Amino acid sequence: MGVSCREVVVEYMAGTRVVRPIDALSVEVADGELALLLGASGSGKTTLLSVLASILRPTSGQAVVAGQDVTRLRGRALAAYRQRTVGIVFQAFNLIASLSAAENVQLPLRAAGFSASEARKRADRLLADFDLAHRRDHRPADLSGGQQQRVAIARALALDPPVLLADEPTAHLDYVQVEGLVKLLRNAADEGRTVIVSTHDERLTPIADRVVQMVPAGAQAISLARTVELAPGEVLFNKGDEGELIYLIVEGEIEIVRITRDGRTDTVLRAPGDYFGELAPMLKLPRTATARATVPTRLLGMSGPEFRQSVRAEKLAELWPESL
């Protein structure tokens, strides 16, 4: 069922000024997908997570999470949603300082009605999965930043929620710790959960199925389609194929091959940062060339409307003559 946002708007008053950190955002994230909310501070990442967690109610629009419209939840249904449907990993970890790692993980289980022995077994199993069995009795102050982060993720997964939300999970971690975190988040999605991570850390993009490029207040976030990975020589699309997406090269190189009117082969190379493939999806035309990778390549694909929002008008005009 995943997550679906439709024209979500969040606004509030700051003195006499109306602030709108999210303006008509629409985005879809499926079960088993890991999506990044990528952007600088103030771009609405944490605000969107708060809406999905039903901590903040949007001004307008609809947010459906695991089949539930969170904009309509009230009372017991809201409490049950927060307890069972979403697991939240906070930027500052929010572990209780007086409790051990195991006791912190047991908290949501006990609140949900698990017996003390059941909660202890479940917590110990999660901590073992996260390589923390030897630290189960340590309090947060005695754990490293990476260990505290793993405890926080274990707590968020204690009730096996279908959706995991993580707010800036790499903020307090060094490079080695980030590698471990990446594996945990990817595994959580591979187990069938919808995982949504807010971050400004582009090191996480290789593990994402979907990237939502968040932009400063007053502009709409852009939902980018799935990451595409190509091996050397692998074809992205052939001449004559139906064109649905426009592509941005994140890393690697794409060779675009077309046959000229006089029968010659014309080859153009595209490097990281280049967009290509605009004409076919925008004008509903078949592809006029073949695109294939020359080296291991990673791309992001997006629809026409998403592309128009993500590229400045002058950049689009510059690329248009060479569009496919």
Side-chain angles (χ1 to χ4, degrees):
M1 290 181 281
V3 170
S4 174
C5 293
R6 288 284 180 268
E7 298 293 317
V8 171
V9 174
V10 176
E11 66 180 25
Y12 57 88
M13 297 298 296
T16 59
R17 185 168 61 95
V18 176
V19 177
R20 184 175 286 187
I22 297 179
D23 188 7
L25 168 66
S26 295
V27 65
E28 302 267 353
V29 185
D31 291 335
E33 284 191 336
L34 190 155
L36 296 186
L37 308 180
L38 189 65
S41 298
S43 60
K45 302 188 305 295
T46 299
T47 300
L48 180 56
L49 289 188
S50 298
V51 168
L52 299 178
S54 200
I55 296 170
L56 176 67
R57 198 174 301 282
T59 306
S60 63
Q62 183 185 54
V64 178
V65 179
Q68 300 182 68
D69 185 347
V70 300
T71 62
R72 297 179 179 272
L73 294 175
R74 302 288 189 279
R76 292 182 179 178
L78 177 58
Y81 170 82
R82 290 172 176 168
Q83 185 178 71
R84 292 282 187 173
T85 303
V86 292
I88 305 173
V89 182
F90 299 96
Q91 181 175 345
F93 310 144
N94 285 11
L95 300 176
I96 297 178
S98 61
L99 300 182
S100 68
E103 290 168 337
N104 268 281
V105 178
Q106 290 171 35
L107 274 178
L109 294 160
R110 296 291 284 146
F114 283 67
S115 69
S117 62
E118 289 174 327
R120 184 170 56 254
K121 289 177 182 178
R122 171 68 175 161
D124 285 350
R125 189 159 56 247
L126 282 166
L127 291 174
D129 289 344
F130 290 175
D131 195 25
L132 287 169
H134 63 299
R135 308 292 280 176
R136 70 175 309 281
D137 296 321
H138 290 71
R139 294 181 179 179
D142 299 320
L143 302 174
S144 68
Q147 290 170 337
Q148 290 183 57
Q149 183 67 279
R150 280 182 278 160
V151 173
I153 296 175
R155 182 181 61 184
L157 295 177
L159 291 169
D160 196 21
V163 178
L164 179 65
L165 308 175
D167 189 17
E168 293 285 1
T170 64
H172 305 288
L173 306 183
D174 61 29
Y175 187 83
V176 174
Q177 293 168 337
V178 167
E179 287 188 354
L181 173 67
V182 163
K183 293 178 182 178
L184 291 178
L185 294 175
R186 185 64 258 177
N187 288 342
D190 290 342
E191 291 170 355
R193 296 183 186 87
T194 301
V195 179
I196 301 180
V197 180
S198 78
T199 186
H200 64 277
D201 191 342
E202 295 190 2
R203 290 177 296 177
L204 296 184
T205 57
I207 68 165
D209 300 300
R210 192 175 298 270
V211 177
V212 181
Q213 184 67 53
M214 304 293 285
V215 291
Q220 183 172 347
I222 312 303
S223 170
L224 300 181
R226 286 177 176 272
T227 299
V228 179
E229 304 276 353
L230 298 177
E234 187 173 356
V235 173
L236 177 65
F237 55 74
N238 285 298
K239 179 181 178 181
D241 287 350
E242 181 180 351
E244 296 181 351
L245 297 177
I246 300 162
Y247 294 94
L248 166 67
I249 302 176
V250 178
E251 61 183 2
E253 185 180 70
I254 289 290
E255 178 183 48
I256 298 170
V257 181
R258 58 166 60 87
I259 305 299
T260 64
R261 291 182 178 179
D262 58 4
R264 292 185 299 106
T265 299
D266 181 23
T267 300
V268 178
L269 296 179
R270 295 295 183 102
D274 286 346
Y275 293 91
F276 66 95
E278 302 95 321
L279 192 58
M282 285 186 168
L283 299 183
K284 308 301 182 184
L285 296 174
R287 300 291 188 186
T288 61
T290 295
R292 62 189 176 217
T294 62
V295 296
T297 299
R298 182 161 55 91
L299 311 105
L300 291 174
M302 65 195 79
S303 68
E306 291 166 342
F307 174 70
R308 284 193 293 270
Q309 294 175 54
S310 65
V311 182
R312 293 177 303 175
E314 60 266 29
K315 181 65 174 177
L316 179 58
E318 173 190 332
L319 292 175
W320 189 264
E322 296 182 12
S323 299
L324 301 180

